[in-house]
């Protein structure tokens, strides 16, 4: 077995144990393999071990790998910061975008989504760590943003995404993820916006995220090993 296949087996075990511990079906939690900075050969190995969904942060890098892997049927998720001038290419080349945090970007993605493709699946990125993070809308901005995005024809609003401030403290991990879940529940209860997705949990905190309702865990390091570069922009 390759190292990547062994890592995937271990992550699958962590997901099953975490789901079991909180009484959720393990099938409710999807594994999104975060392949940024990793070569196409690693993605091929992960796919051979049963993974279909891959997350990329950098558009140019993602396009190169998509071309190299065109023979596989992979589902591509964009999870990095989005510049306005990249919206067209993102709308053309991905099935999901997890990192939408302002209306202007959502409107561009919607209008630039090719008509022959299904609606682009969207998660709104929300910042639950205050000043510690610059990405994501604030919890206060979320209701209006969600209402507007849910009406855009080229998009399907699926749920929320968050990258809480990294901490080894379990109670802080749980609190941040519970906040995200609470915000999603509020949108459903108060605005009748139907959501089925919580994209939260990474290599070091997937257990806490699953306990608080994650439906995608985004796993890089535990699957592909440490990233050598570019350290300062890894999130
Ligand atoms: C890099 C990245 C991940 C993966 O983080 P790991 O700690 O390596 O598992 C998940 N989500 C986003 C948005 C990332 O940029």
């Amino acid at each position: 077995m390759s190292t990547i296949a062994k890592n995937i087996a271990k992550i699958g075990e962590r997901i099953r144990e975490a789901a079991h511990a909180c009484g959720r079906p393990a099938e409710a939690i999807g594994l999104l393999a975060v392949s940024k900075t990793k070569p196409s050969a690693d993605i091929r190995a992960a796919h051979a071990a049963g993974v279909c969904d891959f997350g990329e942060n950098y558009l140019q890098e993602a396009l190169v790998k998509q071309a190299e892997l065109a023979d596989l049927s992979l589902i591509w998720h964009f999870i990095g910061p989005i510049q306005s001038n990249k919206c067209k290419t993102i709308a053309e080349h991905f099935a999901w975008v997890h990192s939408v945090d302002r209306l202007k970007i959502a409107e561009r993605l919607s209008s630039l989504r090719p008509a022959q493709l299904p609606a682009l699946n969207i998660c709104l990125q929300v910042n639950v760590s205050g000043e510690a993070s610059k990405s994501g809308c604030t919890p206060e901005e979320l209701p209006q943003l969600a209402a507007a995005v849910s009406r855009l024809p080229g998009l399907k609003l699926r749920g929320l995404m968050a990258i809480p401030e990294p901490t080894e403290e379990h109670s802080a991990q749980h609190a941040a993820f519970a906040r995200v879940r609470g915000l999603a529940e509020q949108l459903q209860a108060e605005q009748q916006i139907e959501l089925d997705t919580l994209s939260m949990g990474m290599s070091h905190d997937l257990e806490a995220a699953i306990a608080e309702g994650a439906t995608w865990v985004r796993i890089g390091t535990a699957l592909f090993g440490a990233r050598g570069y570019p350290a300062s922009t890894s999130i």
Side-chain angles (χ1 to χ4, degrees), residues 49-105:
V51 177
C52 297
D53 289 270
F54 293 87
E56 291 279 345
N57 300 56
Y58 312 113
L59 184 58
Q60 294 315 316
E61 180 191 331
L63 295 176
V64 171
K65 290 185 234 179
Q66 288 180 351
E68 288 173 352
L69 297 163
D71 57 309
L72 305 179
S73 57
L74 306 179
I75 300 168
W76 293 97
H77 300 239
F78 194 81
I79 62 172
I82 305 168
Q83 291 159 296
S84 191
N85 63 350
K86 304 283 167 64
C87 285
K88 180 167 189 287
T89 313
I90 291 172
E92 290 169 346
H93 287 268
F94 290 82
W96 284 73
V97 179
H98 292 232
S99 44
V100 171
D101 63 1
R102 52 195 205 278
L103 183 56
K104 184 180 155 217
I105 293 294

Side-chain angles (χ1 to χ4, degrees), residues 123-152:
C123 294
L124 299 176
Q125 184 176 352
V126 57
N127 174 5
V128 290
S129 302
E131 305 226 318
S133 162
K134 287 174 225 79
S135 297
C137 71
T138 66
E140 293 72 31
E141 290 163 341
L142 183 62
Q144 250 197 318
L145 179 62
V149 171
S150 70
R151 290 192 290 264
L152 293 172

